[in-house]
Amino acid sequence: MARWQPGAAQRLVVAAVDLFTEQGYDATTVTQIAERAGVTKSTFFRHFSDKRELLVAGQETLSRLLADGITEAPASASPLQAVAAGLERASSAMGPANRELGPRLKAAVAASTELQERDALKSVGLAAAMTAALIARGVPEPTAHLAGELGVLAFKRGYAQWSESDRDDTEGLAPHALAALEDLRAASASLG
């Protein structure tokens, strides 16, 4: 098996999601994932500590991109404008492979309680990264927490819409995530 080929981590994620969807999370082994990805089992463990970690692949990068976008937003930006800048920054790193993986990942998570728990932890981590970046900008803690949570909801809603939309849509993830954020802002204003 060619363990030196580039893209091993991405191939492992795709292989795992496909296997989780086909045969279930519990029935899928690390050996099967490695074989499907065309790598050795030891290559798998160089990238991931266990099969649960495949779901949060890229979380650190995504958290960093969201936080960097918030940090680099203009000083005059409101908390939600800063979150929008974070969403734009993170969206720029999402390409066709991320889009193709969306529906399969959603199906795999829906079929496994363990993956649902891991996905929830991922959301907490993303919200924490955005909240910390907002607090560093001087946003009061309750406002920063709320804006961070809205940012996660907007990212997830936007990603779902983007990954399930017409493949002729060449705009990318950003317009979907920003529209979702605006919808959530409007919904929160209607709470009274």
Side-chain angles (χ1 to χ4, degrees):
M1 288 184 209
R3 56 178 193 260
W4 58 86
Q5 289 181 352
Q10 179 66 22
R11 288 195 323 272
L12 285 163
V13 170
V14 170
V17 169
D18 287 345
L19 285 165
F20 294 164
T21 303
E22 291 167 16
Q23 63 190 33
Y25 173 78
D26 291 332
T28 301
T29 67
V30 168
T31 300
Q32 290 171 325
I33 295 167
E35 286 174 0
R36 173 80 61 104
V39 300
T40 63
K41 193 172 172 181
S42 62
T43 298
F44 176 95
F45 287 113
R46 274 196 287 281
H47 292 282
F48 304 100
S49 60
D50 60 37
K51 67 182 184 178
R52 290 177 310 208
E53 292 303 311
L54 290 156
L55 183 64
V56 293
Q59 180 179 350
E60 283 182 34
T61 300
L62 184 55
S63 292
R64 187 185 82 260
L65 289 168
L66 289 164
D68 287 351
I70 290 169
T71 300
E72 294 169 7
S76 61
S78 71
L80 283 183
Q81 288 170 332
V83 167
L87 291 172
E88 287 183 284
R89 172 66 68 84
S91 296
S92 69
M94 303 294 242
N98 300 99
R99 185 179 194 173
E100 294 297 323
L101 195 60
R104 297 188 320 239
L105 184 59
K106 182 179 178 180
V109 170
S112 169
T113 302
E114 190 168 347
L115 291 180
Q116 291 169 19
E117 291 169 0
R118 186 62 85 178
D119 187 52
L121 288 174
K122 179 179 180 180
S123 295
V124 168
L126 296 175
M130 286 192 278
T131 299
L134 289 164
I135 289 171
R137 288 176 60 89
V139 175
E141 193 171 330
T143 304
H145 281 288
L146 180 57
E149 292 291 339
L150 287 174
V152 170
L153 289 172
F155 182 83
K156 292 181 102 171
R157 288 182 64 177
Y159 180 79
Q161 291 168 353
W162 175 60
S163 66
E164 295 168 4
S165 67
D166 182 3
R167 294 298 180 232
D168 293 335
D169 171 9
T170 58
E171 291 187 76
L173 171 58
H176 296 277
L178 295 175
L181 182 63
E182 180 55 30
D183 290 347
L184 291 166
R185 186 207 58 75
S188 65
S190 73
L191 294 175

